[in-house]
Amino acid sequence: MRRALTVLAILLCAAPRPAQAYLHLTVSTGSTQTPLKWDVSRVRWFATDRGASGITAAQFQTELASSFATWETVPTASIAFQFVGFTSATPDDDDGISVLGFQSEPDLDRVLGATSFVVDTTTGEIVESDVFFNAIFTWSTAAAGEAGRFDLQSVATHEIGHFVGLGHSALGETEIRPEGGRRVFATGAVMFPISLGRGVTKDRQLQPDDIAGVSALYPDGDFSDTTGALSGRVTVNGTGVIGAHVVAFNPRTGTLIGGFSLGQGGTFQIAGLSPGAHVLRVEPIDDADVDSFFSPSGINVDFQVTLHSQLVVAPSGGASDRFDVAVRPK
Amino acid sequence: MLRTSFITFIVALTTSSALAQTVPPLHRLQLAGGIGFLSGAGLGDADANLRSATSNDPYRLFATSSELANTTALDLRAAVDLTRRFGLEAHALYGHPELQTSVTGDVENAPSLTAVERLDHYLIDGGVVVMLDELRVAGWQPFAVGGAGYLRQLHEGLLQTEEGHLFYVGGGARRLLTSRNKGFLRGLGARGDVRWNILSGGITVEDKTRNQIAVSGSVFVVF
């Protein structure tokens, strides 16, 4: 087995963040993209034995356990976790164990946390994943959050989304602040790359986009039979658009789930949708840096936000016929 | 050939219409076919919401309002008069309406539009017919109907089916245009129906019942 150390640092920014739909982390194997995922029945994790900013190691572990449970209890996904114990190892070691802990990274003054991986580059299997939480920030474990402090459980829930193999979602709205960074107005996914801000605990609860993402990666029960997918292509002047953010809204369920046109010629597929008619909205990635999501090579952000003129139907247990969504250049 | 047969049939009925019966005979099967109009139905509103960073109010990405558009429909009906007052009917309707969802108020000013798809819309129902013979005018016999049935809607491409049910009340008038007392075919008539359908389930946005008016005109034959 060819095993390579691949460190993919997925950062959650303290500054406001953009909105998008779920994205699976992948490794390139030749011309194909293989999703990163765990291939064990129960993923074992360790917590560091050091607290930070007034949070004890025990409190830290409790918050992490709650966040792991949030992902584990998604009824349509089958992934389970096991806390093994506290460790003196640090979250940046390639040591064969998955460690989550505080670490002071003053140079990363906009990064709340980051997740890194050791993966089998042939199969995409995650062998180890470490998460650090930046100790330069002040953190809270209060149930209702605390003004001026980032909610540890919310950030942990986001990082554990990466830990299981999810990339960033673009479901959110932001604006660039004159002093730098972005101001977040709203998000539709825990996996949005920018925090909702200090004192906010909303990211403790997964959103439909997060649930669809983890369920598509680790489908459980009849998930594949009871949900549907939309397959299409985004074009501008007849040419495929790479990297468009495509959001599907089901008026009946009120759910927003997104994806990206990352396939050849601007194709996309959004799976895990509730069956029925969907409104499609296509937008350029403009609510966060493109490299928050994927390699920026060839990404087209030079088109207008567009609503598709057709309702598109996700059939139960299948995928729609492929359709084109034409957008206009800016 | 078909045209010749039809004319022959009409003539055959006409030549024996001297009895001038204007209502179908009892216990005889009546088969009707016609076209109709099916009114639109509001399906409800839904906003595409994100979670606001600063408040508990939702942050609206855009708003939607959905409805089933008006459509023409094919109408088939089988009926039997059990008594001079009561009868039974079974009915099937097929329409091809548009599902229309207007999308407005996009937060990034995407132009508003109405997104559409075509549905296949089937109603299969049955009910009781009450003849109101005392109100007969110029040979047209009014009647009232009420019943229940099954709703089946197929999304465009026939990839996804949604089911529901309906209750209906309504009425109409019918008249035998010609009849005879013997033979396989006993009469030919016309009828008009107006119904108030109360739909539940099927394609909808809000889980509430919807009202729909169906108007049809049919020709029927009596066997």
Side-chain angles (χ1 to χ4, degrees):
Chain A
M1 181 163 60
R2 188 163 61 93
R3 180 165 288 181
L5 172 64
T6 305
V7 178
L8 303 168
I10 308 295
L11 311 176
L12 175 63
C13 299
R17 53 183 179 166
Q20 181 164 340
Y22 74 80
L23 179 69
H24 293 153
L25 299 175
T26 60
V27 289
S28 297
T29 51
S31 60
T32 62
Q33 297 288 317
T34 304
L36 299 191
K37 61 182 292 188
W38 293 94
D39 194 21
V40 293
S41 59
R42 191 166 287 273
V43 181
R44 294 156 55 89
W45 62 277
F46 292 80
T48 57
D49 55 8
R50 300 171 302 283
S53 66
I55 294 173
T56 66
Q59 287 174 315
F60 177 69
Q61 187 273 334
T62 300
E63 296 301 304
L64 291 183
S66 296
S67 295
F68 274 113
T70 297
W71 289 99
E72 186 170 324
T73 54
V74 171
T76 50
S78 62
I79 185 165
F81 308 97
Q82 179 184 355
F83 172 62
V84 183
F86 292 99
T87 179
S88 59
T90 59
D92 56 359
D93 291 341
D94 174 18
D95 51 11
I97 61 173
S98 294
V99 177
L100 296 88
F102 281 113
Q103 197 161 292
S104 184
E105 298 284 355
D107 292 342
L108 301 175
D109 61 354
R110 288 187 181 275
V111 175
L112 291 169
T115 303
S116 58
F117 301 92
V118 176
V119 301
D120 184 320
T121 55
T122 305
T123 64
E125 179 186 354
I126 301 172
V127 178
E128 174 189 342
S129 179
D130 293 338
V131 178
F132 86 79
F133 298 86
N134 200 339
I136 68 167
F137 295 99
T138 53
W139 296 89
S140 167
T141 59
E146 283 180 86
R149 291 172 175 264
F150 286 102
D151 180 53
L152 177 59
Q153 191 180 136
S154 293
V155 176
T157 304
H158 175 98
E159 294 304 330
I160 292 167
H162 293 317
F163 184 95
V164 302
L166 296 180
H168 280 145
S169 164
L171 272 177
E173 290 296 325
T174 70
E175 69 174 4
I176 295 175
R177 293 191 295 199
E179 65 272 27
R182 287 175 178 269
R183 176 181 170 226
V184 177
F185 296 120
T187 74
V190 169
M191 296 312 296
F192 192 75
I194 308 170
S195 165
L196 281 165
R198 291 176 172 82
V200 181
T201 62
K202 291 177 181 175
D203 277 347
R204 294 181 180 187
Q205 188 171 3
L206 301 181
Q207 299 302 296
D209 186 79
D210 307 308
I211 292 168
V214 71
S215 301
L217 202 53
Y218 303 94
D220 192 23
D222 58 359
F223 172 76
S224 300
D225 295 331
T226 58
T227 59
L230 295 177
S231 294
R233 177 172 175 254
V234 181
T235 64
V236 59
N237 296 329
T239 303
V241 175
I242 304 296
H245 181 217
V246 185
V247 179
F249 174 65
N250 185 327
R252 184 168 193 172
T253 61
T255 53
L256 281 165
I257 296 176
F260 300 90
S261 62
L262 292 173
Q264 192 147 21
T267 59
F268 64 87
Q269 182 170 70
I270 308 172
L273 302 173
S274 48
H278 289 75
V279 173
L280 270 196
R281 181 179 188 268
V282 181
E283 65 176 356
I285 297 174
D286 58 4
D287 288 299
D289 297 335
V290 170
D291 58 9
S292 300
F293 304 101
F294 28 70
S295 164
S297 173
I299 301 301
N300 185 346
V301 296
D302 196 23
F303 63 92
Q304 299 176 32
V305 179
T306 301
L307 295 161
H308 188 38
S309 61
Q310 294 289 312
L311 292 170
V312 287
V313 179
S316 186
S320 68
D321 294 334
R322 183 165 290 183
F323 55 88
D324 282 1
V325 183
V327 298
R328 289 186 299 171
K330 278 183 178 170
Chain B
M1 191 66 175
L2 182 63
R3 184 180 179 87
T4 305
S5 302
F6 180 70
I7 292 171
T8 304
F9 167 66
I10 295 292
V11 170
L13 287 172
T14 305
T15 54
S16 58
S17 63
L19 293 177
Q21 187 176 352
T22 59
V23 297
L26 295 179
H27 308 133
R28 289 285 177 181
L29 177 64
Q30 306 158 38
L31 290 182
I35 59 171
F37 164 83
L38 203 55
S39 76
L43 303 182
D45 303 333
D47 290 348
N49 289 324
L50 303 177
R51 302 166 303 162
S52 169
T54 54
S55 80
N56 288 326
D57 295 331
Y59 180 94
R60 197 174 72 181
L61 199 56
F62 54 84
T64 71
S65 182
S66 298
E67 66 173 17
L68 207 57
N70 298 335
T71 188
T72 54
L74 294 175
D75 209 61
L76 296 173
R77 183 176 277 104
V80 174
D81 291 358
L82 300 177
T83 68
R84 282 289 163 218
R85 176 63 73 183
F86 295 105
L88 296 176
E89 70 170 15
H91 168 253
L93 176 145
Y94 168 73
H96 196 45
E98 274 189 344
L99 172 61
Q100 301 176 337
T101 298
S102 65
V103 189
T104 56
D106 186 272
V107 72
E108 291 184 272
N109 300 317
S112 298
L113 55 71
T114 299
V116 299
E117 65 155 327
R118 279 279 179 188
L119 305 178
D120 286 307
H121 178 94
Y122 298 91
L123 296 177
I124 300 170
D125 52 62
V128 175
V129 185
V130 179
M131 267 62 76
L132 306 172
D133 205 45
E134 58 275 23
L135 301 179
R136 193 190 306 195
V137 175
W140 287 87
Q141 181 189 49
F143 57 85
V145 295
Y150 166 72
L151 164 68
R152 184 178 178 86
Q153 294 171 312
L154 282 76
H155 286 282
E156 194 162 301
L158 312 181
L159 294 172
Q160 181 68 27
T161 302
E162 308 220 20
E163 298 173 310
H165 57 271
L166 77 150
F167 297 96
Y168 70 90
V169 293
R174 64 180 184 174
R175 190 187 198 286
L176 263 185
L177 300 175
T178 182
S179 65
R180 61 183 183 178
N181 291 327
K182 58 182 181 181
F184 181 62
L185 299 172
R186 295 297 184 93
L188 173 73
R191 62 182 285 164
D193 290 76
V194 178
R195 292 183 12 167
W196 174 30
N197 295 330
I198 303 169
L199 309 177
S200 63
I203 294 170
T204 185
V205 172
E206 298 169 0
D207 286 328
K208 297 191 296 192
T209 58
R210 291 96 64 195
N211 299 317
Q212 189 175 49
I213 300 297
V215 180
S216 64
S218 309
V219 174
F220 66 91
V221 293
V222 182
F223 296 93

